[in-house]
Amino acid sequence: MSIAEQEQLKKEYYNEAIRYMDNAKETLKKASKEDNYYNDEKYVKTACGLAYNGVLKALDGYLQLKDVPKPRGRKSIEYYQSNVIKYDKKLNTELKNAYDILHLSGYYDGVTNVTVITEGFKIAGDIIKRIEPK
């Protein structure tokens, strides 16, 4: 793959991941805050799901740039972790934290603590920045 093709691929995946994050941030605003908690769990769950999907979009682009073959069927967290760790241990740690905070705690468990959710969004942003085109 040429450098121009790599940059185009990065741009496509980056833009899509950013679109997910922008939607997640807009959705999270609807949850409103009181003290250190969001008031509406439904919006927090939706926002966390969107942010986590933004992370997965970025990782799809990252792995495609590394020529990692796509699995048949649905990709699992194990697919992402087992492939990301081959190239970048820090990114794998960030992925684990994004998964734990955004997917498990935020999306499934409905955690509404502002500090926790903010950290999850920060980690998602850090992961997405890794494929930012030049």
Side-chain angles (χ1 to χ4, degrees), residues 12-61:
E12 289 171 16
Y13 279 96
Y14 177 79
N15 288 340
E16 188 67 7
I18 290 296
R19 189 169 76 90
Y20 273 89
M21 286 303 296
D22 288 345
N23 288 339
K25 290 173 187 174
E26 284 302 310
T27 301
L28 196 57
K29 286 179 188 176
K30 296 177 184 176
S32 71
K33 292 186 249 184
E34 188 174 315
D35 296 322
N36 196 36
Y37 293 91
Y38 288 103
N39 293 319
D40 196 327
E41 182 182 300
K42 177 187 114 175
Y43 288 119
V44 175
K45 284 183 163 196
T46 302
C48 288
L50 287 165
Y52 181 66
N53 279 308
V55 167
L56 296 182
K57 284 289 178 191
L59 292 174
D60 286 341

Side-chain angles (χ1 to χ4, degrees), residues 53-122:
N53 279 308
V55 167
L56 296 182
K57 284 289 178 191
L59 292 174
D60 286 341
Y62 177 84
L63 293 174
Q64 191 171 344
L65 288 167
K66 302 289 185 191
D67 291 323
V68 173
K70 292 181 184 177
R72 297 183 81 157
R74 184 177 294 149
K75 294 174 235 162
S76 65
I77 185 63
E78 291 81 15
Y79 160 79
Y80 289 103
Q81 288 175 328
S82 65
N83 285 296
V84 168
I85 199 166
K86 294 174 188 174
Y87 301 101
D88 190 332
K89 289 181 182 175
K90 182 180 178 197
L91 178 58
N92 195 58
T93 300
E94 290 173 333
L95 168 59
K96 182 194 179 316
N97 288 319
Y99 177 76
D100 289 347
I101 295 170
L102 296 172
H103 189 63
L104 297 179
S105 296
Y107 181 73
Y108 277 113
D109 297 337
V111 169
T112 58
N113 183 289
V114 171
T115 305
V116 172
I117 302 304
T118 300
E119 183 62 20
F121 271 62
K122 180 191 168 305

